[in-house]
Amino acid sequence: MSLTVTAFDLSLTSPAVASIDAAGTLRAQCGSTKNRRGPERLVTIRDWVMFNTAGADAVTIEDLPHGLRNAAAGALGEMHGVVKVALWEAGIPFTLIPPANLKKYATGKGNADKLAMMSAACHRLGYDGSSSDEVDALWMVHMTLDHHGAAVIKMPALNRCALDTIDWAGTRQAVPA
């Protein structure tokens, strides 16, 4: 099965994207919005996401953690909302990956920290970078491939059970005419 997957770890200052194309070429990169604020930042992230979803068969986004209450919670919510609406308006289906499921798939523990996620990516994926944002996006690509029966790495059953509670049907509504 040749499947093109794009995954996003949305962040206010360093959003990351990872993708695999039909030929099996895997890439990951971070964007930067450190010099932007407010609506300008939201538009930049929205446009970056839309550019990076071109041609994707499956799009995944790391969902916001439940109970987020820090100072950036409102801005993160706005950013996620803007991205979700843009994808919906473009008719691009997407699946939200809860952070605990992402961590469970990568490490076997739903409460793993960034160091454990990075270590698992280095060990299992051969990742040699230093961005925890890229690591999250890469793991979501692998989760999506695994869910669709196109896994390129073998994961233990303990880790794979994280796939079972994700709503893989995702958001698939078409924009009303």
Side-chain angles (χ1 to χ4, degrees), residues 7-92:
F8 296 97
D9 179 19
L10 296 177
S11 154
L12 290 169
T13 58
S14 63
V17 61
S19 63
I20 190 164
D21 63 22
T25 304
L26 186 65
R27 70 176 182 89
Q29 70 179 39
C30 279
S32 177
T33 59
K34 290 179 182 171
N35 297 328
R36 294 187 171 87
R37 298 281 182 262
E40 180 187 12
R41 177 185 285 173
L42 297 174
V43 168
T44 299
I45 292 170
R46 179 205 60 204
D47 292 350
W48 179 79
V49 166
M50 297 310 292
F51 173 80
N52 281 289
T53 57
D57 297 313
V59 174
T60 56
I61 301 169
E62 183 177 9
D63 203 358
L64 291 170
H66 293 291
L68 191 61
R69 289 187 178 92
N70 64 20
L76 284 170
E78 284 180 340
M79 174 187 55
H80 274 253
V82 165
V83 167
K84 290 173 188 177
V85 166
L87 290 168
W88 186 80
E89 286 180 334
I92 299 170

